[in-house]
Amino acid sequence: MLAGLKTQTGRIGFISYDRLPDNVQELDAFALGVRRTNPHARVLATFQPGLTAPDADAIAATERMIREAHVDVMAAHRSNDAVPAYAIAHGVYTLANYGDLPDSPLLLARQNVDWQLTWAELLKDDVRKSNPQAFYWFDYNEADMSFTVVSPDVTADERALIAQAEEELRQGFEPFSGDIRDNEGVVRCRAGEYISDETLRESIDWLVEGVSVYE
């Protein structure tokens, strides 16, 4: 949502790993947030090979997006904040997934997850017995997630919008619900419906309206 609010060029970059369901659903969730505040913005996405993809490749893709596609907000699904650090160094807004990046006017926000609490929940016998699947989903409260707006460039009205969305998540809002189309115009979800966790985790292979792959 913040990316959609702060872009001036209408172009937002996203660096991800392999085009697997788990990564696609995270990119699509990000794009749904962008569309909520700026339905005309475009998300340009790059997929890279596996968790072993070197930071140098991610940074090179980021540099191309900034220089050639004129993206002015960068986000990434990565195991560190190499992409946000590069974006800040080159005058571009960004968002952080981890806690090591210093505050900056160009750092719009950072997400916070208490992984110690999450793993403690996973190790409980009742959790494992109640869900024999190979994966688990926790809601926003169970995972002890939070979202910190960092940049002073985010206005009071924009902060209020973000706070409202965070409260919706705490109350059980399903991001993949309501009218959703893919980037080829195919209806993937309708009013009153939502996409199941199993689909998001195991089989989603389409990109949300407004997303395109940047080679």
Side-chain angles (χ1 to χ4, degrees):
M1 289 175 63
L2 275 173
L5 287 167
K6 304 311 288 187
T7 180
Q8 296 296 311
T9 65
R11 296 191 170 202
I12 298 162
F14 194 100
I15 308 294
S16 185
Y17 290 116
D18 287 305
R19 191 166 173 170
L20 300 173
D22 196 34
N23 300 329
V24 170
Q25 62 91 9
E26 181 158 344
L27 166 61
D28 281 350
F30 176 82
L32 289 171
V34 169
R35 293 188 61 77
R36 179 167 171 171
T37 57
N38 190 342
H40 301 296
R42 303 286 301 177
V43 176
L44 307 181
T46 293
F47 292 94
Q48 298 181 328
L51 295 174
T52 58
D55 290 342
D57 289 352
I59 289 172
T62 301
E63 190 276 333
R64 288 197 305 275
M65 286 185 179
I66 294 171
R67 176 171 48 86
E68 300 173 358
H70 308 295
V71 304
D72 58 354
V73 183
M74 281 298 310
H77 177 191
R78 303 277 299 178
S79 59
N80 58 45
D81 280 330
V83 168
Y86 182 89
I88 289 172
H90 291 79
V92 171
Y93 281 127
T94 192
L95 301 106
N97 295 322
Y98 297 88
D100 297 332
L101 204 60
D103 288 356
S104 164
L106 292 172
L107 178 58
L108 295 174
R110 66 173 88 247
Q111 71 168 357
N112 313 295
V113 181
D114 187 341
W115 289 109
Q116 184 175 359
L117 176 62
T118 302
W119 280 105
E121 289 296 315
L122 280 172
L123 291 172
K124 290 181 178 178
D125 287 341
D126 60 334
V127 173
R128 295 201 304 274
K129 289 176 181 177
S130 67
N131 184 2
Q133 300 287 337
F135 62 89
Y136 301 84
W137 289 86
F138 290 116
D139 68 22
Y140 200 73
N141 298 314
E142 288 174 319
D144 196 22
M145 299 179 68
S146 62
F147 194 73
T148 304
V149 176
V150 176
S151 175
D153 294 349
V154 180
T155 67
D157 287 345
E158 290 168 342
R159 288 171 184 265
L161 281 174
I162 300 307
Q164 176 186 339
E166 185 171 12
E167 181 58 25
E168 289 174 4
L169 287 172
R170 293 195 183 282
Q171 296 301 320
F173 171 69
E174 295 279 356
F176 286 89
S177 61
D179 295 312
I180 300 176
R181 294 177 181 268
D182 67 21
N183 61 359
E184 295 182 350
V186 177
V187 175
R188 296 292 184 167
C189 191
R190 301 180 186 277
E193 300 177 345
Y194 70 92
I195 300 173
S196 71
D197 290 344
E198 288 75 18
T199 297
L200 295 175
R201 179 71 183 193
E202 297 179 352
S203 62
I204 187 171
D205 60 359
W206 46 268
L207 302 176
V208 166
E209 183 178 7
V211 179
S212 57
V213 176
Y214 186 80
E215 301 293 348

